[in-house]
Amino acid sequence: MSNINRRNLVKGSFAAVVAAATVSRSALAESAEPILLGVSGPLTGPNAQYGAQWKQGFDLALDEIRAAGGINGRKLVYNFEDSQSDPRQSVAIAQKFVSDPRIVMELGDFSSPASMAASPIYQRAGLVQFGFTNSHPDFTKAGDFMWSTSVSQADEQPLLALYAVRLNLKKLAVLYQNTDWGRTSRDYFVNAAKGLGAEVVVTEGYIADDRDFRSTLVRVRDANPDGLILISYYSDGALIARQARQVGLKQAICAASSVYSPKFLELGGEAVEDVHLGTRFFPEDPRPEVRKFVGGFKARYGGQEPDSFNAYAYDAMNMAAAVLRIGGADRRAVRDAFAKVHDVPTVIFGPATFDVETRRIKGAMNAELVVRKGQFALWDGKPT
């Protein structure tokens, strides 16, 4: 064999070794076990739409996380178990998740009661329960494995009361969803409104999946308020607004941020015109994080406008990724990493950092909106 041929053979062999090593490293990266999150939330039942909105937000965030290299080179995935937002189901899911060593963090449940029923299981097992829509003030008090990016009702409802008073509403009727969330919200709202000088002339609870609110609304009408306060979600809030107008209630309506959704406009139609509400998320916000989220969401979902629950889920998945980049796939290290993340870019809060004592995000922003010509708009500051 000539020297030239021997050199070519050596060169060919070296190239083959390099190629094999490259393929081996690539295969190793591809075969690395994904980091698994457990999600407990509603995919069926009366709150199923919120689980669907969660998935949209999660999946958009995961697209971006994977494009950025994942979690230290590993894919991030989730297992979504349907709880129907029922405490009995959330407890069963918690038992399943804590016994699966692959799951390093749990997200959910949708409602605070469903989450709080399962909290002792997660706390005993040392698995973080990340409740990103859990606004009950007691949620994070269950233990040091409970963290939340949801604004507590202790902070949220006084803002709604302040908005109502700024609208010059002095005699208030409060309609609230008769759940633990709704009753807690009512209490914080009523106390704050009274402290601001308003009078609460009637409070009326209702069942979330009711469809006829007219008898309740007649009692409200008889109390002669000058403003209606809705502590509702968008589906029941829109229906109440429709029926309020049907029974002759023409007073101003001020609603909790939980009604904020394009669906509220769609379901309420003309009846929700001039409804006032606060929100943690407004798609017209010029902040770069909001512009990126809205543009990415519309591109992925055929021009659909995102709402708050899409944004909550998107932020939660990005926060989970930030925590996991610090804590890795160890459950206790994940718990400790929540205290170490700092100024994580978010849609809802801007740069977000946790208060280690409350295990909730420090500070919150609020936009005061009103429905004008079938669209949400920033309130101009003029009383009703």
Side-chain angles (χ1 to χ4, degrees):
M1 184 181 293
S2 70
N3 288 337
I4 293 175
N5 288 338
R6 279 198 298 271
R7 284 197 299 271
N8 287 340
L9 178 61
V10 170
K11 286 172 65 179
S13 299
F14 178 74
V17 169
V18 171
T22 302
V23 170
S24 177
R25 285 194 298 270
S26 176
L28 182 63
E30 287 295 320
S31 66
E33 190 74 17
I35 295 179
L36 180 61
L37 305 176
V39 179
S40 174
L43 293 173
T44 60
N47 293 313
Q49 67 268 31
Y50 300 107
Q53 289 168 307
W54 280 11
K55 291 185 73 173
Q56 289 179 314
F58 288 158
D59 292 344
L60 175 60
L62 285 177
D63 285 349
E64 296 173 1
I65 291 164
R66 288 166 184 161
I71 308 300
N72 303 325
R74 295 172 65 180
K75 285 181 67 175
L76 181 60
V77 297
Y78 65 90
N79 173 22
F80 200 136
E81 292 282 344
D82 181 15
S83 69
Q84 299 186 335
S85 205
D86 180 336
R88 293 168 298 181
Q89 298 296 331
S90 66
V91 166
I93 291 168
Q95 292 166 338
K96 179 178 180 179
F97 283 167
V98 300
S99 64
D100 185 344
R102 298 173 302 159
I103 293 178
V104 299
M105 185 194 307
E106 185 270 343
L107 281 69
D109 203 286
F110 173 68
S111 71
S112 293
S115 292
M116 291 165 71
S119 292
I121 298 170
Y122 292 115
Q123 182 66 28
R124 285 195 299 269
L127 177 63
V128 164
Q129 184 186 30
F130 182 17
F132 60 96
T133 58
N134 298 152
S135 57
H136 195 292
D138 291 342
F139 169 70
T140 56
K141 297 177 184 178
D144 58 346
F145 280 84
M146 279 74 244
W147 295 77
S148 180
T149 48
S150 178
V151 177
S152 164
Q153 291 306 312
D155 297 320
E156 175 83 16
Q157 296 310 323
L159 289 174
L160 179 60
L162 180 61
Y163 193 7
V165 169
R166 292 180 67 203
L167 289 166
N168 202 31
L169 304 178
K170 298 176 181 178
K171 294 175 61 180
L172 306 176
V174 180
L175 291 89
Y176 62 94
Q177 200 176 100
N178 196 7
T179 61
D180 189 60
W181 167 79
R183 292 187 295 272
T184 302
S185 299
R186 172 205 62 196
D187 291 345
Y188 279 110
F189 175 86
V190 168
N191 289 337
K194 289 179 177 177
L196 292 167
E199 179 186 1
V200 178
V201 294
V202 63
T203 62
E204 289 282 346
Y206 64 88
I207 304 302
D209 53 2
D210 280 352
R211 289 295 175 265
D212 188 347
F213 303 99
R214 282 171 292 189
S215 60
T216 298
L217 289 166
V218 167
R219 291 194 296 274
V220 168
R221 185 183 63 193
D222 291 346
N224 195 32
D226 57 19
L228 310 183
I229 307 300
L230 302 186
I231 297 176
S232 312
Y233 292 127
Y234 64 71
S235 54
D236 43 301
L239 189 54
I240 290 171
R242 278 184 173 275
Q243 293 181 14
R245 300 320 186 201
Q246 289 168 4
V247 302
L249 282 163
K250 299 181 180 180
Q251 289 91 334
I253 295 176
C254 197
S257 63
S258 43
V259 307
Y260 177 74
S261 170
K263 288 287 187 182
F264 182 68
L265 305 176
E266 178 185 326
L267 296 171
E270 292 182 2
V272 300
E273 188 72 11
D274 297 325
V275 168
H276 294 261
L277 65 150
T279 182
R280 298 295 175 204
F281 164 70
F282 186 50
E284 303 304 318
D285 191 318
R287 287 185 295 120
E289 298 92 344
V290 179
R291 302 271 45 86
K292 177 187 175 185
F293 166 65
V294 172
F297 192 93
K298 287 183 174 180
R300 196 182 200 281
Y301 298 112
Q304 180 184 339
E305 186 86 14
D307 74 359
S308 296
F309 291 97
N310 299 129
Y312 296 152
Y314 175 84
D315 275 354
M317 189 59 71
N318 281 313
M319 181 61 76
V323 167
L324 291 167
R325 289 187 183 107
I326 296 171
D330 177 82
R331 289 181 175 183
R332 289 189 176 272
V334 166
R335 187 251 339 244
D336 296 342
F338 270 86
K340 299 175 183 176
V341 292
H342 184 73
D343 286 347
V344 177
T346 68
V347 174
I348 302 296
F349 296 96
T353 302
F354 283 94
D355 181 322
V356 179
E357 295 299 317
T358 64
R359 292 185 294 283
R360 292 186 184 271
I361 296 293
K362 294 178 180 178
M365 294 176 291
N366 195 45
E368 293 177 326
L369 306 183
V370 61
V371 180
R372 290 279 189 259
K373 298 180 180 178
Q375 300 294 325
F376 294 112
L378 288 170
W379 179 50
D380 60 11
K382 296 178 182 177
T384 59

